[in-house]
Amino acid sequence: MPLLELDGLRTGYGAVPVLHGVSLSVEEGETAVMLGLNGAGKTTTMISIAGLLRPWAGRIHFDGKPIHGKDARELVEMGIVLAPEGRHVFPALSVQNNLRLGAWPKRRDAGLVKRTMDRVFEVFPRLLERRDQLAGTLSGGEQQMLAIARGMMASPRLLLVDEASLGLSPKLAQEVFETMRRINRDGTTVVIVEQNAGVLRIASRAFIMLKGQIVYAGAGEELRRGGELRKAYLGTPD
Ligand SMILES: Nc1ncnc2c1ncn2[C@@H]1O[C@H](COP(=O)(O)OP(=O)(O)OP(=O)(O)O)[C@@H](O)[C@H]1O
Ligand SMILES: [Mg+2]
């Protein structure tokens, strides 16, 4: 049974449809990647899964249970956490306090929060160095890391990351992908939205979204090797 399953998901904004029947599934323990051009509907898919946008039609199942229509808060408690596009850290709070807020769903388990914080600082040593710095004064790349790290603090079963490497240098992007791999190895199922095909290196499964539909679903490795395939859908051979 897949951990996450979308079946014929349709939604949009106001009266304007954006997703025209999106179906995909992700098994527990996988790292899945969704690629696609600007405006394809990737963020719309992520926020629909996270309960921030209501589906018009179709079904979303998490761990075999229907979750469409549940609100974001309930979904966080169930283990679905979104690191949203555009960083969204709390600028006036320190790095450490941003992380503490991320641990809100696990607030009753102080031991777990402490262990997760230690782990977060292990995978993001930069955040450890800057733990007392106000988040608003971090560099763009560091804020990106903090947004992902804050998602980790909730110890989610499913971590959705919308644009893991946007605006990062190639070196930093690889660092963040490597971190995502570690998070996955720790047992978290990960879905990453990306424009950088370099992420395929860490993907067990890949999807390409085009104009509100999934036009390719397959093994990450297959897409990594398939330059023609990527070129056809993404306009880039590398
Ligand atoms: N709040 C909104 N109100 C109206 N239209 C929206 C809203 N958010 C997104 N859209 C539209 O929905 C479509 C899909 O947007 P979405 O943000 O899901 O794309 P995306 O694949 O994440 O793109 P990008 O790679 O640029 O982040 C776009 O045409 C966009 O203009
Ligand atoms: Mg987007």
Side-chain angles (χ1 to χ4, degrees), residues 184-238:
N184 173 252
R185 285 206 183 129
D186 285 348
T188 304
T189 304
V190 180
V191 178
I192 309 172
V193 162
E194 263 296 330
Q195 307 243 9
N196 177 348
V199 74
L200 289 171
R201 202 169 49 79
I202 63 159
S204 53
R205 188 177 295 243
F207 304 104
I208 296 180
M209 177 164 270
L210 185 72
K211 297 182 180 163
Q213 284 180 314
I214 300 291
V215 292
Y216 171 86
E221 179 64 15
E222 180 183 71
L223 193 59
R224 196 170 70 82
R225 290 173 186 278
E228 285 305 312
L229 206 57
R230 287 205 308 281
K231 195 170 176 189
Y233 292 121
L234 304 168
T236 146
D238 31 59

Side-chain angles (χ1 to χ4, degrees), residues 48-186:
S48 300
I49 298 168
L52 298 165
L53 185 67
R54 281 197 179 262
W56 295 352
R59 290 192 299 266
I60 308 176
H61 281 80
F62 177 68
D63 200 17
K65 296 176 209 65
I67 58 163
H68 37 274
K70 285 195 191 293
D71 64 34
R73 203 193 155 108
E74 229 175 317
L75 295 174
V76 169
E77 299 279 351
M78 288 176 78
I80 302 179
V81 168
L82 171 68
E85 191 177 16
R87 290 154 194 178
H88 292 298
V89 297
F90 296 101
L93 297 182
S94 69
V95 165
Q96 192 149 31
N97 283 337
N98 267 273
L99 293 174
R100 286 202 182 106
L101 278 180
W104 176 252
K106 299 289 183 232
R107 62 196 175 278
R108 289 180 208 90
D109 189 343
L112 174 66
V113 172
K114 165 87 175 59
R115 285 196 303 281
T116 315
M117 180 94 69
D118 290 346
R119 184 68 180 135
V120 162
F121 285 144
E122 221 174 284
V123 294
F124 290 111
R126 254 167 221 261
L127 296 181
L128 177 61
E129 286 163 25
R130 292 170 171 74
R131 80 187 146 201
D132 297 318
Q133 192 173 326
L134 296 185
T137 65
L138 294 174
S139 78
E142 289 162 356
Q143 289 188 33
Q144 194 104 330
M145 292 180 191
L146 179 57
I148 296 171
R150 198 180 51 191
M152 281 175 70
M153 287 303 297
S155 301
R157 272 183 84 184
L158 177 65
L159 179 62
L160 308 165
V161 180
D162 193 355
E163 302 285 5
S165 78
L166 188 71
L168 302 188
S169 69
K171 183 166 175 291
L172 209 49
Q174 288 310 317
E175 235 177 80
V176 168
F177 295 157
E178 192 46 47
T179 303
M180 302 305 305
R181 193 212 293 268
R182 283 204 232 169
I183 294 169
N184 173 252
R185 285 206 183 129
D186 285 348

Side-chain angles (χ1 to χ4, degrees), residues 13 18 36-45 85 162-163 193 195:
Y13 303 94
V18 172
L37 301 174
N38 293 117
K42 305 179 299 295
T43 295
T44 304
T45 306
E85 191 177 16
D162 193 355
E163 302 285 5
V193 162
Q195 307 243 9

